[in-house]
Amino acid sequence: MTKKILTILTIGLWATCICSFSQTKGELRTIQVGVYINPPLVQIDSTGKIEGLFIDVLNYVAKKRDWKLTYDLFSLEGALKAIKENKIQLLPAIAYTSQRTQDMLFSKTAIFHNWGMVFTSVDSKVENIADMNGINLGLEEGDIHADAFINLMDDFNVSANIHWFESQEKIIEALKNGQIEAIAANKLIGFTYRDKTLLRETSILFNPVHVHFTANKISGQLLDELNADVLTLLENDPEIYNNMITKWFLTPKEEKHYFLTWPGIILAFTILVLITTLLFLRLKIKAKNKNLLNELQAREANEELIAQLENEKALILNSIEDQVLFIDRNYNILWTNKAYKVFANNNLESKIGEKCYKTLFNNNKPCSFCRLENGNSIDQTHVHEHFDESTDSYFLIKTTSVYNRKNKLIGFVKVISDITDKKHTENELIKAKEKAEKDDYLKSAFLANMSHEIRTPMNAIIGFSELLEDEELEPDQKRSYLNIIQSNGQQLLKLISDILVFSQLESGHIEIHCTTINIVDLLNEVYQQFTTKVDIHTHKNINISLNTSIIQPELLIITDTIRLKQVLFNLMTNAIKFTKEGEINISAYIEKDMLVLEVKDTGIGIPNDQLKRIFKRFSQVENPQKRKAEGSGLGLTIANDLMAMMGGYIDVQSEVHIGSTFKIHHPID
Ligand code: ADP
């Protein structure tokens, strides 16, 4: 209920507002204007608004006079009737005739000057009034030019079939559909329907008239006001009037055409939409093309950059000596550098796409050391050495993981370095180091021994020399002491001699001086020397024998006598030293084009596993049960080195507790 009351109050309030507004507006005078269509003097636009030259002049006046104009649309005839009957106050665009002054008041000033003209269809042959006899002629009801033309035809005794129409529009329609061939009307009809395919102007001009505003008979004051303002317009504001003329007569008129109808508007709208869509699509395609072009350019630039990087990568990786391989997650070789290719052509199948374990290591499955297999150490570079038996080469292989931008493992880079030379040098260094260590040890042992080896005979010499001072000594005892002194002296002499020769050999100061000698003579000399020696100095029960019967007694060899004697001396000394009793046999024979001098004893012998080391310096046969043998451990080293210098060598055969056979191989030539 309250709601209803509120609604009523609101409506009432609004009504009051509207009324008061109307009252305010009520100060405007409402002028009823009748109009008929006579373009461009008076016409209706597409929205139904009345416009035209006379309406512009009327608006000019209305603005000055605070008039509110209301329009009623009539045919020309209807409008003339309406003004006559005071149904409208003003009627614009009426041609002046004295007859019309009976029904209406004319404005003082004519707004427009007009005349009649005959128009025909474009294919008509009508050129002058005489040609119009019998043709179908269209006239507008109430049109002053219609009456004038009928009079003109009467004057020329021309009779046409006259068709009357309500409006100019309908006359034009009739011309279009062929109902009429010609129109006699005011010249403006030609201006309005300027379509050359529709209307053709003829040279038939008639009935010049002045076109005025008119008022009904009781609106004289209204017409006076209008007269005054029209005069002001023409005299004081000629530019405004000129603009009006320009607007309605000089500005190309929008042709009333097909598009102003609803289907036309829809069609135009559809075409507009289509054109807009097409333009939009075109713009879009253009933009897309531009994007594509940009993308293409970017891609080309990218590809160029990639090619450049690829080139640089290849240049860099190909210029290094190490082999570089890129391997995918499935062990396939994807890329190799030049160093690998060179190596592979020589040694391996270098096919891209092969499994690395097959190509590199000739394995049928991934290698046990491969980092791919041992996923735990995937983030560190895996390094391992590989020895290739087929090429006798050592390689250092470094395997490093490669990740893409999304941190996903995509493969591995293997860098393979040939370290064969380095490895050999390293091995040699290790050997040299071991040897140096051993030499150092041996030298230390040697020095320790030397003090013992020198002291022992020296003590004996000094001790027994002192004993010889005793004048009461028996002659046998004296001889015995002298023997001991001489034996130890010999031992000392040999030791000093060994050390001297050894140091000469080590420093490269020994030279070989060869002469031609009779070998049997030399062997006899050695035999004599040692037979005496054994008898006198050792008192051992050893029988020394010499057998040279196999060789020719006059056999000559070229040798360094002193050095060869020294070698034989060392072998004989050892044979006597390591034989308690038994036989020592010296023999000579030819074997494989070489002279062999053999020293064979029945001494303690040498264990097989130590046969090689006895030729090494400072080496003696190790025998934990026995006291270390006297000697420097240099005798065989010296003998072996001297024989090598003379182009020969020494070898040995031995059996523990049975004896040893040392053979000197000497070249014959
Ligand atoms: P040394 O001066 O110590 O004898 P050598 O170089 O002459 O040094 O001999 C080295 C070692 O070889 C000897 O210490 C000994 O153990 C062994 N040897 C050499 N000749 C014989 C041999 N005829 N019978 C047994 N052992 C031998």
Side-chain angles (χ1 to χ4, degrees), residues 494 498 570-571 574-579 601 603-606 614 616 619-622 628-637 654 659-660 662:
K494 163 119 183 15
D498 278 356
N570 281 359
L571 296 185
N574 280 345
I576 294 166
K577 190 159 67 176
F578 296 106
T579 306
D601 66 48
I604 59 170
I606 305 161
I614 57 173
K616 292 185 176 168
S619 297
Q620 292 184 322
V621 171
E622 288 166 0
K628 200 181 100 25
E630 62 182 41
S632 61
L634 290 172
L636 286 178
T637 311
S654 184
S660 310
F662 286 85

Side-chain angles (χ1 to χ4, degrees), residues 37 42 107 115 118 140 144 149 166 224 227 230 254 269 294-295 363 423-424 469 495 522 544 548-549 558 593 660:
I37 302 305
V42 178
S107 63
W115 55 85
V118 173
E140 186 185 359
I144 192 174
F149 194 68
E166 201 174 66
D224 287 345
N227 279 334
V230 167
E254 261 184 53
F269 180 74
N294 287 346
E295 256 176 47
N363 286 341
K423 201 73 188 165
H424 283 320
E469 283 176 3
L495 186 67
L522 185 124
I544 299 177
T548 56
S549 58
I558 300 165
D593 294 334
S660 310

